[in-house]
Amino acid sequence: MLNCDRLQRRKARVNMEGALVARDQVGIQDFVLLDSITSETAFLDNLKKRFNENLIYTYIGTLLVSVNPYKELGIYTKKQMENYMGVNFFELPPHIYALADNAYHTMLTEMNNHFILISGESGAGKTEASKRILQFYAVSCPSTSLLDRARDRMLVSNPVLEAFGNAKTLKNDNSSRFGKYMDIQFNREGEAVGGHILSYLLEKSRVVYQNHGERNFHIFYQLVEGGEEETLRLLGLERNCQHYCYLVQVRTAKEPSDLKISCIPVSAGRGAARITVYLFGIIGSILHLGNVQFEADSKGYAHPLTACCILLQLLGVHVQVLQEALTFKKIEAKTEEVLSPFSVDHAIYARDALTKALYDRTFTWLVNKINESLENKDSTKKTVIGLLDIYGFEVFYVNSFEQFCINYCNEKLQQLFIQLTLKSEQEEYEAEDIEWEPVQFFNNRIICDLVEQRHSGIISILDEECMRPGEATDLTFLERLEERLGNHPHFVTHRLADQKTRKTMDRGDFRLLHYAGEVTYCVVGFIDKNNDLLYRNIKDVMHQAKNSIVKHCFPPTEADSKKRPETVATQFKSSLMGLTKILTAKEPWYVRCLKSNEDKQPGRFDHVLVRHQVKYLGLMEHLRVRRAGFAYRRRYEVFLHRYKPLCPATWPHWRGVPADGVERILKHLGYSEDEYKMGRTKIFIRHPRTLFAIEDAYEICKHELGTCLFTSKKEFVCLFIKGYMTRHQAATTDNSEYLTFVRHNYLTRLKDHLPKTVLDKSTWLTPPPVVKEVRELRVVHRCCFHSVKEPKYCCSISLQLKGLTSELFKGKKDSYPQSVSRPFVDTRLSEQDINMRVLQMIRHERIKYSIPVVKYDRNGFKPRPRQLILTQTAAYLVEEAKMKQRIEYRSLKGDRSVSGSLSSGLMGLKGWRHGDLVLQCDHLFEAVTKLCVVANKRNIVKVVQGSIKFDIQPGKEGFVDFGSGQEAMAYKAKNGHLMVVSASLWCGCCRC
């Protein structure tokens, strides 16, 4: 099964590696590699080319662009999830699982917080993307029964919030009519242990009014058409939506979605059923309130036509008291209260204001209730991944107050988006010692200030108009805008516009030039929607309700307060400021969702529509920032591993520092230094054509290598068969390779069945005849030991060294079993490899062992190639002809460190007077064992867990942290520690 999984992953990687070769057929999977980063046409052509091949995901660096295909593609299976778990971001084709997995593993490695911003217009697939990420974490994260409960509640919260917060619109059958930010909390082991949800600007006006062809929130139809008969009877409802005014303002198609009532995630217990009854009682009461009609008496005052007695049962309020609150306004005079009667229009306004407030506050209560069920009360430190699924930029035929708020939100997010992208790019360039080249981009701060600036922004002017004495109307608000903002380059009205522009605007319109383009807003309704007035006597009636949810939603302090509540726009502005603060404290990831066409037709790619979305999502802007100077950057290890066949000096194995190997490849290929830059840990390539040329050369080389390997393999099989047939004969050229294989196979099995002690002679595996026949057998370096006999004649020196290694590491480090089959050699460097000047300086000391290592600077952790030489009296660290450090064995202390990574080979030497040395080598077990023997200090190795502490200099400490990731690397983390990431799981660390 394991081999099968590896095969599948290998196939997926091959597909990924072939993507550059197949770029003419399926487009480029990372827009950063486009030749022209200013051509919108090239961008769209690449997007369409991939869309036509059902490749809906494309990267811009680490940003994911997703095009809604409006059909099932079979790319969200559990098998697909497994393929993307723990894989390097660019190792497999672009996918939302790749982004989710890399955000998760980066969070675990760096122990910091992240967020994924999902944006796009209605119908582009934002909600679906959010669901896919949650489902991926549900499958990929570690699981226990307690954690499963938290995970299940997170998953259940989605359909509940969709039922109460989503509705059918002209653009989308399941459009989110609120913004949602969800934090998923993880413990140190990466287990999902809790969550928290914030909601933004529910479109509550939809409760009382919907545009032509649109519907109310899903929950109303789920209740009326999908509720049980007994539930409907208790709520006084009929199974016919046509009987309720709030549901029949326009005729639309029958609700296409599942009409089952959503399960509310409240804590189990006797109160749960009662809470559900109260909740649906509110939904039913809203439908009944919508049917309350008014008529005018002889004086023009409003009177209800019918008494809605069912409200007494559903809300627990006296019907007479409620009717009075809907038809009279209570005015407090100095010594008494006066009731001022409403007109019919005023009464309808009061009724609708009540139903909107009821629904909005109930939705907020529901979100809080979900948060209670997701809350994790454990005080231990947690990291989070936030999911922000928020409305995209909206441009309708008529744009009102809601679109103004939504588009203001998108302006703020675009501003944050550019700031964070520029910041992350600059930080990477600085960390890699690459000169930052300033990027030209449109700074939309001028538009954000136009909307939100104190005293002079549109929101401030709107609030002033709402609060000023006298008769404020939408048109007087428009006049104030013209007076205060008439000269602003991004603002125009019908009166201020030129003759040509006036033809495209009505007299009650104003137009803003957003970063995404022009949007015309109709001022009708701005004052009322911003005020969102709910009369105090109505609040007081609601607080007296017997329905506990209603009572909770209308606290007595609100009814008693004389302070004017904040306007809707100001509340929204404050919540956006809070959201911005939350997001700037986290590391960002982005998903940009696009609609392929307006008609939701599979296979159709509407160029005009997609171009519009590319523009208002700022994708070209992001591409220009991401391509600031260099189209491609990869870690040296990854680049060297792929392209090492292109240079004779690096093929098949490069023994030196990866950066040097990469530079040898590029120089061998003839590239000049202005075409690439060498960073601390990464290679930066300036032009896509350079990378494509390298990739083309690699494909040719790979084909030639494949031909050679096939020929060699065929010859090897023939030789192997001949060796098997002559295995009992004396050693000849025909059977020598086969006999070597038999010996190697025996020793490989032996490493998994070693005796518990070196001198145990009774439990050794029976050797094959070819080993029995030789009293002392020298085996090539592929075998376990340098010198092997039958068990009773085993070479004592080799066994003693391996025995010491066993005592030091067996059962303490997971990587120890893999080391048993690797031979120990006398030294890893010959005298020819060591500079003559160094040999002269230590000529009086006999060299016992030497090995190439990488030394990390104690401050910046820059890797530097060195040679570690062990003599009779001291350990030397050498750079070519320079003796950099000398540590006498007697000064070695018992608290220096070795990493627990399966592959990093990190160790520290403590005893140098200027601070500890942090080293990395390929033969860690051998080097540590040799050091213990040569220094005659065998009791200084102790295995510990967690970070390694070392002295940068006397009195100043540094730390080495360990983590797992998709590729092995070592770099300076943001907390100042050396972060060592292994491609395998870490098993802790040990000190020696």
Side-chain angles (χ1 to χ4, degrees), residues 289-303:
L289 277 169
N291 283 353
V292 173
Q293 301 297 319
F294 302 92
E295 64 177 357
D297 62 13
S298 58
K299 297 180 180 180
Y301 300 149
H303 289 278

Side-chain angles (χ1 to χ4, degrees), residues 759-778:
L759 300 178
D760 181 2
K761 301 177 183 178
S762 60
T763 58
W764 288 79
L765 289 178
T766 304
V770 68
V771 176
K772 281 186 178 180
E773 289 169 6
V774 185
R775 305 300 293 174
E776 185 176 278
L777 176 64
R778 294 284 174 183

Side-chain angles (χ1 to χ4, degrees), residues 369-599:
K369 203 69 181 173
I370 291 173
N371 284 335
E372 287 177 18
S373 73
L374 296 177
E375 183 182 7
N376 184 289
K377 297 180 180 178
D378 184 1
S379 60
T380 57
K381 183 181 177 183
K382 301 174 188 69
T383 51
V384 304
I385 294 178
L387 286 180
L388 180 58
D389 172 6
I390 204 156
Y391 14 63
F393 205 82
E394 289 192 349
V395 185
F396 298 139
Y397 183 73
V398 176
N399 301 289
S400 188
F401 178 75
E402 290 83 6
Q403 281 68 51
F404 171 76
C405 291
I406 287 170
N407 293 343
Y408 160 53
C409 171
N410 278 268
E411 285 287 356
K412 289 295 290 181
L413 291 177
Q414 173 68 7
Q415 185 183 36
L416 178 68
F417 174 53
I418 293 295
Q419 286 174 353
L420 292 178
T421 303
L422 276 173
K423 179 185 173 188
S424 65
E425 285 294 296
Q426 281 184 288
E427 285 178 351
E428 181 172 21
Y429 275 56
E430 288 169 7
E432 293 291 329
D433 260 354
I434 303 291
E435 184 180 352
W436 172 253
E437 301 175 9
V439 184
Q440 296 298 319
F441 67 96
F442 171 64
N443 189 341
N444 70 330
R445 180 174 179 178
I446 187 173
I447 306 170
C448 293
D449 289 345
L450 169 64
V451 175
E452 69 184 12
Q453 200 163 45
R454 291 187 66 185
H455 309 305
S456 60
I458 293 175
I459 290 176
S460 292
I461 297 170
L462 177 59
D463 284 355
E464 288 174 15
E465 195 63 15
C466 287
M467 296 176 190
R468 75 173 178 84
E471 191 66 29
T473 66
D474 295 319
L475 290 179
T476 60
F477 162 59
L478 184 61
E479 290 169 5
R480 297 292 178 273
L481 290 180
E482 290 172 337
E483 290 171 10
R484 306 270 288 273
L485 304 174
N487 295 322
H488 199 286
H490 290 263
F491 174 85
V492 70
T493 65
H494 183 276
R495 186 173 71 81
L496 299 173
D498 56 39
Q499 196 67 33
K500 182 180 179 181
T501 306
R502 283 182 182 176
K503 294 178 181 179
T504 64
M505 300 179 69
D506 291 332
R507 295 185 182 277
D509 293 347
F510 68 92
R511 181 174 293 169
L512 298 185
L513 180 57
H514 289 279
Y515 77 92
E518 295 179 343
V519 182
T520 303
Y521 299 98
C522 175
V523 295
V524 175
F526 264 64
I527 295 290
D528 282 345
K529 290 176 180 178
N530 190 48
N531 268 325
D532 194 32
L533 287 179
L534 185 64
Y535 295 114
R536 189 173 295 139
N537 51 329
I538 295 180
K539 293 179 185 177
D540 188 53
V541 171
M542 289 297 104
H543 175 65
Q544 303 302 323
K546 297 294 190 293
N547 184 311
S548 63
I549 297 177
V550 176
K551 193 178 184 71
H552 180 273
C553 290
F554 292 87
T557 52
E558 185 181 7
D560 297 338
S561 175
K562 302 294 190 291
K563 183 181 177 182
R564 183 185 177 97
E566 279 190 328
T567 62
V568 172
T570 297
Q571 289 179 45
F572 187 58
K573 174 183 168 182
S574 299
S575 65
L576 270 188
M577 297 296 183
L579 177 63
T580 302
K581 191 173 180 180
I582 290 171
L583 297 183
T584 49
K586 295 178 171 64
E587 296 296 318
W589 300 78
Y590 303 101
V591 180
R592 293 288 194 251
C593 300
L594 306 176
K595 295 172 68 172
S596 55
N597 62 83
E598 287 283 16
D599 302 321

Side-chain angles (χ1 to χ4, degrees), residues 9-19 91-92 642 702:
R9 285 198 176 190
R10 192 176 297 119
K11 285 180 179 178
R13 292 186 185 114
V14 169
N15 291 338
M16 163 63 180
E17 290 165 0
E91 192 171 339
L92 295 177
R642 179 163 178 78
K702 188 168 70 171

